[in-house]
Amino acid sequence: MKTFYIETFGCQMNAHDSEKVVGTLLNQGYTQVATPEEAELVFYNTCSIRDKAEQKVFSRLQQFKKENGKGKTFAVLGCVAQQEGERIFEKAPHVSLVCGSASYTKLPQLLVQLETGNRRVTGLSLDTEDTFETPLTRRDNPHRAYITIIEGCDKSCAYCVVPFTRGPERSRTSASVMQEAAEIARAGYTEIQLLGQNVNSYRDPSPAAWDFATLLDRVGRVPGIRRVRFTTSHPRDFVREIVDAIDANPALCNHVHLPVQSGSSRVLAGMQRLYTREQYLSRIEWMKAARRPIAISTDIIVGFPGETEADFEQTLALLDGVGYDSVFSFKYSRRPNTPALELGDQILEEEKGRRLTILQERQRQIQIRQNAAYVGRLEECLVEGFNRATGQWIGRTSQNKTLNFLRAGGESDLEGRYVEVRVTRAGPNSLAGEYVN
Ligand code: SAH
Ligand code: SF4
Ligand code: F3S
């Protein structure tokens, strides 16, 4: 019986890919262990979105260099694998398998090659038509299930490695998504999160030809499914029908993650984002005009080459205007193969750091204000767990806010249940409350 360990970096697509890889390995007769020390096969499912993320895998591998002699096999999966390819064997000679996400369907064959003594096995082809789906997927979370509906990216944002690391866009048929959703519901999951680099660019390749809004609505009507989330949406492909679907179907969570990257149309053009500030804000207006209160979150990059103080001020003004519920913000990181690598006028690290700090502090104040408005309200939560240190249950609202709450009268198991909670306090990153039913 061979043992394996897997550590996953990066986005939810990677997390879900690892669930599929684990399922595939278990089916091949491997046993999963909790530490790399115990494992014969060590997998790192990697992320390359920023330089820091890429460095993580090499520092992990460095740690284990000496272990190589002890019969461990190291495998690098994911976006760094696809980006660096065979160069990984030079950088880390104890690695013997390098495989990108578009080649995971071939993993069983690649593992056989390893077993027969091949020391440098690769799966790096990007020209796959299919997406990697397996009925064997071993899901980590007992309540929320991820479903990939579209892989890859056909955009070409000037800063981004994803089109190179994940290949061109491929959508699954609506029938196969619906079948997986129904199976998930039968298995007892109540929440589904639809995944894609640009989830709303989904185009059903079957004759049914569902668009994303239709698929979203139908998944929300699968018996047993109480919540549907989706991430990440690209503003260019964000249509009004998505907002209409959320308004009409209470199972669709009222939260949209819509990355803006910058509040300056000039910077957006340089980034090749395919929309202006005004076009982005028109999408925000649709959401603000909805009947349901839709929480909105975003991603921001500060310090893209050529970003002036005035551009940055426009991003701050956009944060004030939209009033986001949360923001993921990053310093621009130069990435291999990307068009922005060639741009002059790079911003100094120190200046990027200064802008990031200002932006994060500004957003913190916005979130304090936004969240304070929830005090006194009744919110439905899916209970995700219990925090022994604080004695509080951890819940999540439809709007994707963490709501920690106390329950008088002990600890009967609430995990996985939907409960009503009265919000009593609010902080910048979470709400607190009391159980009422
Ligand atoms: N497809 C999604 C983004 C996926 S990557 C979209 O287009 O919105 C997740 C986030 O990482 C991006 O939204 C961006 O904010 C950030 N990011 C991507 N490349 C980056 C880079 N080179 N430097 C800093 N942040 C980056
Ligand atoms: Fe990257 Fe742009 Fe594609 Fe998003 S849309 S994954 S930022 S290239
Ligand atoms: Fe990272 Fe690849 Fe996801 S670069 S963010 S793991 S698509």
Side-chain angles (χ1 to χ4, degrees):
M1 193 71 85
K2 280 224 163 201
T3 51
F4 75 95
Y5 166 83
I6 186 164
E7 182 175 2
T8 308
F9 305 94
C11 60
Q12 284 146 322
M13 305 267 311
N14 251 21
H16 185 40
D17 280 348
S18 285
E19 295 180 332
K20 299 181 212 174
V21 167
V22 168
T24 304
L25 293 171
L26 294 175
N27 185 249
Q28 296 285 311
Y30 291 81
T31 307
Q32 187 171 12
V33 293
T35 64
E37 287 77 11
E38 298 162 70
E40 290 160 78
L41 251 166
V42 178
F43 288 89
Y44 294 112
N45 189 5
T46 62
C47 174
S48 174
I49 201 79
R50 286 166 290 275
D51 185 56
K52 263 201 192 125
E54 176 175 349
Q55 292 320 318
K56 271 189 198 150
V57 61
F58 291 107
S59 73
R60 284 293 192 282
L61 287 166
Q62 203 66 29
Q63 255 170 274
F64 279 97
K65 239 176 182 164
K66 292 185 290 292
E67 291 285 358
N68 193 27
K70 296 186 189 164
K72 277 193 206 308
T73 303
F74 290 87
V76 178
L77 308 179
C79 291
V80 178
Q82 191 67 50
Q83 175 189 295
E84 293 302 304
E86 301 192 357
R87 282 195 296 270
I88 292 181
F89 297 132
E90 313 304 325
K91 289 190 186 171
H94 53 312
V95 171
S96 44
L97 171 63
V98 173
C99 181
S101 66
S103 305
Y104 294 158
T105 42
K106 301 197 198 85
L107 264 179
Q109 293 101 291
L110 299 176
L111 290 168
V112 170
Q113 287 184 38
L114 271 184
E115 275 166 22
T116 55
N118 194 336
R119 293 293 304 140
R120 287 186 168 192
V121 178
T122 56
L124 294 168
S125 159
L126 272 181
D127 55 11
T128 35
E129 284 289 302
D130 60 329
T131 52
F132 174 51
E133 296 311 325
T134 159
L136 308 168
T137 301
R138 186 60 69 102
R139 293 189 155 85
D140 289 335
N141 184 308
H143 315 295
R144 175 194 309 140
Y146 293 130
I147 302 183
T148 311
I149 63 166
I150 175 170
E151 304 251 21
C153 177
D154 277 352
K155 306 280 192 289
S156 48
C157 302
Y159 51 79
C160 184
V161 291
V162 172
F164 311 103
T165 65
R166 294 236 161 209
E169 248 170 46
R170 288 100 65 204
S171 291
R172 272 171 82 180
T173 63
S174 52
S176 106
V177 174
M178 292 308 291
Q179 192 193 334
E180 189 169 5
E183 276 163 18
I184 279 165
R186 271 198 297 278
Y189 295 92
T190 58
E191 180 174 318
I192 286 178
Q193 183 155 357
L194 302 178
L195 295 182
Q197 271 308 330
N198 294 312
V199 75
N200 59 327
S201 310
Y202 174 83
R203 263 191 311 208
D204 183 2
S206 77
W210 289 4
D211 59 11
F212 174 67
T214 305
L215 182 74
L216 186 62
D217 180 59
R218 298 292 175 91
V219 171
R221 294 181 194 280
V222 170
I225 295 304
R226 294 188 57 167
R227 285 186 171 180
V228 182
R229 302 184 184 279
F230 55 99
T231 197
T232 293
S233 297
H234 192 287
R236 166 86 172 209
D237 302 329
F238 193 83
V239 294
R240 203 189 277 264
E241 284 76 9
I242 299 172
V243 179
D244 295 342
I246 294 173
D247 252 350
N249 184 344
L252 306 184
C253 288
N254 46 359
H255 168 229
V256 171
H257 184 64
L258 197 65
V260 66
Q261 315 300 357
S262 168
S264 152
S265 290
R266 202 183 65 81
V267 173
L268 289 172
M271 289 178 164
Q272 293 164 218
R273 282 294 285 181
L274 310 174
Y275 54 84
T276 61
R277 174 193 176 98
E278 290 67 33
Q279 285 166 330
Y280 179 86
L281 287 174
S282 70
R283 274 96 179 129
I284 298 292
E285 285 312 311
W286 298 340
M287 289 190 265
K288 301 244 175 198
R291 283 184 295 277
R292 295 177 71 199
I294 300 179
I296 309 170
S297 55
T298 200
D299 295 345
I300 306 266
I301 296 175
V302 299
F304 184 76
E307 182 189 71
T308 63
E309 192 63 30
D311 292 318
F312 176 61
E313 290 290 336
Q314 288 195 44
T315 300
L316 295 178
L318 182 113
L319 294 191
D320 291 339
V322 176
Y324 289 106
D325 293 86
S326 75
V327 172
F328 300 89
S329 49
F330 314 100
K331 291 190 276 183
Y332 166 70
S333 169
R334 300 181 74 202
R335 305 307 295 129
N337 310 318
T338 59
L341 205 54
E342 312 296 325
L343 295 176
D345 210 0
Q346 297 281 333
I347 311 293
L348 290 175
E349 271 314 296
E350 199 184 309
E351 176 58 17
K352 286 188 225 172
R354 187 188 70 89
R355 292 181 192 177
L356 191 69
T357 307
I358 293 174
L359 184 139
Q360 289 179 342
E361 181 47 32
R362 184 87 150 237
Q363 179 58 25
R364 210 178 97 85
Q365 298 306 325
I366 293 171
Q367 283 173 211
I368 289 173
R369 271 206 311 278
Q370 295 269 116
N371 285 346
Y374 288 84
V375 175
R377 290 196 208 166
L378 209 52
E379 291 282 331
E380 187 193 57
C381 287
L382 166 58
V383 184
E384 295 186 337
F386 183 73
N387 183 339
R388 297 208 171 275
T390 62
Q392 287 181 316
W393 291 95
I394 306 158
R396 185 167 300 276
T397 70
S398 172
Q399 293 190 315
N400 206 32
K401 292 186 187 283
T402 300
L403 174 43
N404 300 306
F405 63 97
L406 289 167
R407 186 194 190 209
E411 234 186 72
S412 83
D413 197 9
L414 294 182
E415 201 184 312
R417 284 178 42 194
Y418 289 80
V419 299
E420 294 287 327
V421 177
R422 174 81 60 196
V423 179
T424 53
R425 278 180 297 123
N429 299 312
S430 65
L431 307 172
E434 278 160 19
Y435 177 87
V436 293
N437 62 351

